[in-house]
Amino acid sequence: MTELVSYDLKDGVATIAISNGKANALSHEVFEELNAALDRAEQDKAVVILTGQPGIFSAGYDLKEMQKGPKEAAALVATGSKLTRRLAAFPLPVIGACSGHAIAKGAFILLSVDHRVGVEGPFKLGLNEVAIGMTMHHAGIEIARHRLTPAHFYRSVVNAEIYNPEGAVEAGFLDEVVAQDKLLERANELATHFKTLNMRAHRETKLKAKAEYLALLDRCIEQDSEHLGLSG
């Protein structure tokens, strides 16, 4: 791994950390390294902790890439959708250790992992696409619908409501919130518990429970690509 994504394996737990500037922006290079790190975790048969930097999990897609033009923006969104789809079906448990702000694609990643721990503090979490002039893509709508509570789904997707960490638990972006200095300790406690699961049963049950959702997500990713002129 280069400096954009680090991989640390210890006692069957792989901690994967994103480190790309103040916003922890998600670029093609970051997604490439995230996929490589997930490949390693699969090979190591490791429970995954996915985290960011202190104060920021991720503020979403790399704006430099998004602003190059519609085709470039669409290509990055497609790459991101495929990453979240992979996380949703990952054969081993994935814990999101949300170290601060999680906006747009950063929040979608939280909606795609098995358990999410956030931190106390003045942090913002949510989907701001409508607020910044982006019509939500089909895959994004379904990722949100799959995990957010019904009332907060509408408030998040259509109204672009942004939450503090405690509100994010109520909405469905997070499962729990801890003190900032306890984040990785709590994530490792969860990982230790998840290591006791039967991984075959975990994998097969996850795929069975999410079968309709994953099929829908595949259709949405293709639909988004067709709409944005990327398919074929």
Side-chain angles (χ1 to χ4, degrees):
M1 300 297 111
T2 70
E3 69 278 0
L4 294 176
V5 174
S6 63
Y7 184 93
D8 180 50
L9 179 67
K10 184 178 181 181
D11 297 329
V13 178
T15 300
I16 298 171
I18 306 167
S19 180
N20 187 27
K22 290 182 178 179
N24 243 10
L26 299 168
S27 62
H28 282 293
E29 292 77 15
V30 170
F31 284 126
E32 183 177 344
E33 292 188 22
L34 279 173
N35 276 306
L38 291 172
D39 288 344
R40 288 182 63 180
E42 284 198 58
Q43 292 167 4
D44 292 332
K45 296 181 172 55
V47 173
V48 172
I49 296 173
L50 180 58
T51 192
Q53 305 176 62
I56 181 79
F57 182 70
S58 175
Y61 289 122
D62 188 335
L63 291 179
K64 294 192 297 290
E65 189 71 22
M66 295 292 283
Q67 292 168 353
K68 286 181 180 178
K71 285 274 190 181
E72 290 82 358
L76 187 57
V77 170
T79 298
S81 292
K82 291 172 184 175
L83 185 278
T84 42
R85 199 275 186 207
R86 181 180 186 183
L87 288 171
F90 200 68
L92 296 141
V94 181
I95 300 158
C98 182
S99 47
H101 301 295
I103 299 294
K105 192 62 188 181
F108 280 124
I109 288 175
L110 294 177
L111 294 172
S112 302
V113 300
D114 297 307
H115 193 96
R116 297 79 45 87
V117 185
V119 292
E120 299 168 347
F123 301 116
K124 297 179 179 180
L125 298 91
L127 308 174
N128 69 339
E129 281 80 356
V130 168
I132 62 172
M134 294 178 63
T135 300
M136 188 74 76
H137 54 306
H138 292 95
I141 290 170
E142 297 308 329
I143 292 168
R145 194 197 312 274
H146 177 68
R147 206 66 179 274
L148 296 177
T149 64
H152 287 287
F153 164 73
Y154 191 94
R155 288 164 60 177
S156 297
V157 172
V158 181
N159 296 351
E161 184 168 337
I162 301 299
Y163 300 86
N164 62 24
E166 291 74 21
V169 173
E170 180 183 343
F173 289 103
L174 296 174
D175 294 298
E176 58 183 288
V177 173
V178 298
Q180 294 183 43
D181 61 352
K182 299 293 185 183
L183 177 64
L184 290 181
E185 179 182 326
R186 176 58 180 153
N188 276 283
E189 286 177 359
L190 288 163
T192 297
H193 165 67
F194 286 145
K195 282 167 56 180
T196 68
L197 299 177
N198 180 293
M199 292 305 167
R200 177 195 54 77
H202 170 81
R203 179 185 70 252
E204 292 178 357
T205 302
K206 183 186 291 187
L207 291 177
K208 186 180 290 187
K210 292 184 174 183
E212 292 184 9
Y213 166 66
L214 292 170
L216 173 60
L217 198 52
D218 287 337
R219 293 194 299 272
C220 286
I221 292 170
E222 181 60 28
Q223 191 175 4
D224 288 331
S225 295
E226 289 175 356
H227 175 69
L228 296 167
L230 295 176
S231 62

